[in-house]
Amino acid sequence: MNKITVLFTGFILVFSANANSVYPPDYLPVEINNKTQKPDSDIYVIIKAMDITTEHDCFIDIDQNTGIGQCTPVTPGMNSESYSYPLSTLPLSEDSRKRLILVPKTASGRIYFSAGYPMDLFVTTDTRKILDPDGFKPRDSNYYTLYDKIEYSYNDGGSWVNPTAVDFFSLPIHIRQEGSTSDVTEAGFSEDRNEVINSVRTLIQEKDTTRNKIWDRLFITYSESGQTELLRIVSPGKAMVENVADTKPFDLDYLSNESVYDFSYMDHLWQYYQTHTLLIDTSEIAPHFSLDNYLFTGKVTGEQFVFTNQTGSYRVVIDRPTHSTPFFAGSGDSFDAANNTPKAIIIRQLTSAFDAGLLPAKSSTKIDRHYFQAMKANFYQKNPLLPQLTQGPWYDLYSKALHHFDASQAIYTFAYDDALGQDGTLHDPNAGNISPVQITLGSLENTLIPNPYEDTGTYTVTPVLGFGTTVKYNGAILQNNVPLRNVKIPFHVTINGQDAYLYFKKPVIRPYFDGADGIAIHKTSDRDVEVVFPGK
């Protein structure tokens, strides 16, 4: 075999002549093509992942000369901005046209991209986990930032990379990997941002026949100086929340709220399966879970969906959910299940069928990958086994809207889109000679980049202090209800020893920390603000 010796920034490497690239082994080359029409200095990237050996969360620390990443274990109080990089600080790829990151072998990784500002990812004090941002929560420190992500894992079995909109859509990201042995070698959106948003909005408005137009609540907007911009389109499973200030949640009872929608989907489903059955094959878990038979028949008894295998030796009992979230999220409430168990497979198949509009199904239907493949043309259509209804739809309209693009633009919009065969995962099994992942960030032309941080005026700030809380500003301890005048932005304070930067044009607190959620910023006039600091 011919050999090629390559000098790569301090490393002397030997590759076979058919190597995929000149990049060093044991790293996943990620080439980033910025087509946002924003300069590289305005686009940021941060990578969170899990160390394969220790299973501890880490940030990827990127050498800005070589692009080589290192999994740096997190510690409480770690500032994520130290691991957020403007693309302009990263080295160029082999063709000198893209930015390069060499990702080490890590699991459960997420590569976040943001426009205008770096992400703020919080590390929990007790579990040392990196929390993902919540795109539906206004008090999240990333709420007013345009950001999005892809997911990856890379180990001795190769790489798995996919775009994801399971939580939300905000930025168009397209991925390509020539060495992928999946059904596709590319996935994600190649259109510019406004094209995607306009197409999704048009379809949702057309298919949402609810009188209260409940699906409009998935569109989260930002207004500044008379301009309005869409921050993100949130999935219904993420928009079904309770007791989150300043939000208009999606209806938690969407599938059972007959008084509003003239129909209870859950009532109908439970009644239907009192006299009909469905089959689910769970044999894929055989290496992990021993049974004498893996084919389950499901039927409703009372308020429970009961699945029994063919020998009668094992039963799975699923209580009727108390709200709609489990159907849209694929988990939660009575739908929670441990991995590699019969219940986990049953929940996956049930919720996948619901997501695509295939539930209920004809009696004795076996719901599996073959069924989903055969029914693909019927995804997200009116189900003939439901009554004729004026309101709806009774499937995941968010998923329908994001899946109606070209087949080469597959993307996760639901937790089990892999079961439905529309997830867009690229898998290169050749771990020792892995092909580069090419990421293209789509155009943000005519997109307003939110800027809640630039605020040149001054404020009068009245602090309201909870019991036991000490807040310092400019070295002085604040007094309860005693106004501060001529305060410039950011309002930099220490709260019980924790540094915090407060912004008032839109209420933002950075960095996020334990207790930040309890701080309430109330503008009483254009330049007067009351800040409530909770007690210990």
Side-chain angles (χ1 to χ4, degrees), residues 267-474:
D267 279 354
H268 183 87
L269 190 68
W270 250 244
Q271 290 166 8
Y272 179 86
Y273 280 112
Q274 286 177 3
T275 56
H276 299 78
T277 61
L278 57 79
L279 301 174
I280 295 179
D281 183 357
T282 67
S283 58
E284 65 190 81
I285 64 169
H288 312 282
F289 199 101
S290 179
L291 289 174
D292 60 357
N293 182 273
Y294 290 91
L295 182 62
F296 284 77
T297 299
K299 191 172 183 178
V300 167
T301 301
E303 291 296 292
Q304 296 178 321
F305 216 141
V306 180
F307 289 82
T308 308
N309 68 353
Q310 302 305 295
T311 60
S313 64
Y314 195 90
R315 289 201 320 163
V316 174
V317 178
I318 302 169
D319 291 330
R320 173 172 163 156
T322 58
H323 51 85
S324 302
T325 310
F327 279 96
F328 286 96
S331 63
D333 199 65
S334 60
F335 281 16
D336 278 339
N339 287 336
N340 296 317
T341 62
K343 184 178 180 181
I345 305 304
I346 290 167
I347 292 298
R348 183 191 70 193
Q349 304 301 70
L350 278 177
T351 56
S352 296
F354 161 75
D355 180 86
L358 303 178
L359 201 66
K362 291 180 180 179
S363 197
S364 301
T365 294
K366 184 193 287 188
I367 297 180
D368 58 12
R369 184 175 292 273
H370 299 295
Y371 172 71
F372 290 137
Q373 288 174 344
M375 295 294 290
K376 197 142 196 174
N378 299 96
F379 282 12
Y380 310 114
Q381 306 295 327
K382 287 185 177 181
N383 189 320
L385 297 179
L386 295 179
Q388 293 298 311
L389 303 164
T390 57
Q391 295 198 74
W394 305 104
Y395 52 75
D396 189 344
L397 181 53
Y398 168 85
S399 288
K400 176 184 177 72
L402 286 169
H403 279 306
H404 88 282
F405 293 86
D406 185 85
S408 66
Q409 296 176 274
I411 182 173
Y412 264 103
T413 66
F414 167 69
Y416 302 126
D417 263 340
D418 52 336
L420 292 167
Q422 55 185 11
D423 54 292
T425 299
L426 310 184
H427 172 48
D428 184 346
N430 196 357
N433 191 22
I434 206 81
S435 57
V437 175
Q438 299 169 342
I439 300 175
T440 299
L441 307 178
S443 173
L444 302 182
E445 185 178 11
N446 298 321
T447 295
L448 170 68
I449 304 299
N451 187 3
Y453 308 105
E454 186 176 311
D455 193 345
T456 56
T458 61
Y459 289 85
T460 296
V461 179
T462 302
V464 179
L465 306 176
F467 180 77
T469 289
T470 300
V471 181
K472 290 184 179 180
Y473 172 64
N474 286 342

Side-chain angles (χ1 to χ4, degrees), residues 9-28:
T9 321
F11 296 86
I12 296 179
L13 307 170
V14 179
F15 296 95
S16 64
N18 64 346
N20 284 326
S21 72
V22 298
Y23 298 128
D26 295 324
Y27 290 94
L28 175 64

Side-chain angles (χ1 to χ4, degrees), residues 3-242:
K3 301 283 186 178
I4 300 174
T5 302
V6 179
L7 179 65
F8 185 88
T9 321
F11 296 86
I12 296 179
L13 307 170
V14 179
F15 296 95
S16 64
N18 64 346
N20 284 326
S21 72
V22 298
Y23 298 128
D26 295 324
Y27 290 94
L28 175 64
V30 174
E31 300 175 345
I32 303 166
N33 188 7
N34 177 17
K35 290 193 173 182
T36 63
Q37 301 195 34
K38 307 295 180 184
D40 281 3
S41 57
D42 285 351
I43 304 297
Y44 293 80
V45 60
I46 184 171
I47 306 176
K48 54 162 285 192
M50 184 180 73
D51 186 292
I52 293 174
T53 303
T54 65
E55 297 188 349
H56 292 161
D57 280 11
C58 66
F59 287 117
I60 302 300
D61 188 359
I62 304 170
D63 186 302
Q64 292 166 273
N65 292 313
T66 65
I68 291 176
Q70 175 180 318
C71 180
T72 301
V74 299
T75 56
M78 180 179 277
N79 187 346
S80 68
E81 287 196 21
S82 300
Y83 303 92
S84 188
Y85 302 88
L87 295 186
S88 58
T89 66
L90 301 178
L92 294 173
S93 61
E94 181 186 353
D95 64 6
S96 299
R97 290 183 293 182
K98 308 177 188 73
R99 298 294 176 171
L100 174 68
I101 303 173
L102 296 169
V103 178
K105 289 180 178 177
T106 39
S108 303
R110 287 189 166 185
I111 304 177
Y112 279 97
F113 296 96
S114 58
Y117 303 95
M119 302 288 293
D120 175 30
L121 301 183
F122 176 61
V123 178
T124 61
T125 302
D126 49 355
T127 61
R128 299 190 181 188
K129 293 292 185 183
I130 304 170
L131 295 187
D132 289 296
D134 186 340
F136 197 72
K137 178 181 169 185
R139 291 189 184 181
D140 187 286
S141 57
N142 302 284
Y143 184 80
Y144 296 103
T145 301
L146 298 183
Y147 65 91
D148 222 311
K149 61 186 180 294
I150 66 169
E151 298 174 324
Y152 80 91
S153 283
Y154 174 44
N155 57 34
D156 291 342
S159 67
W160 293 260
V161 187
N162 65 267
T164 178
V166 170
D167 300 329
F168 61 87
F169 165 81
S170 183
L171 301 178
I173 301 176
H174 184 266
I175 63 174
R176 183 178 182 85
Q177 190 176 32
E178 291 295 338
S180 171
T181 58
S182 307
D183 292 338
V184 293
T185 57
E186 58 183 306
F189 295 116
S190 54
E191 290 86 358
D192 68 32
R193 185 176 193 264
N194 284 332
E195 280 185 79
V196 176
I197 289 170
N198 291 338
S199 180
V200 169
R201 191 193 299 274
T202 297
L203 192 147
I204 286 180
Q205 289 176 343
E206 175 190 345
K207 299 298 181 181
D208 176 10
T209 58
T210 60
R211 284 191 291 269
N212 61 357
K213 295 301 175 187
I214 191 67
W215 293 87
D216 281 349
R217 296 193 177 187
L218 304 184
F219 295 86
I220 309 300
T221 58
Y222 169 88
S223 296
E224 179 182 320
S225 303
Q227 289 182 275
T228 298
E229 185 58 70
L230 185 79
L231 290 173
R232 59 195 62 91
I233 309 169
V234 182
S235 67
K238 286 294 181 181
M240 290 177 170
V241 298
E242 290 183 292

Side-chain angles (χ1 to χ4, degrees), residues 495-506:
I495 306 165
N496 300 322
Q498 169 69 51
D499 269 318
Y501 295 83
L502 279 62
Y503 301 84
F504 300 149
K505 186 161 70 173
K506 296 289 183 181

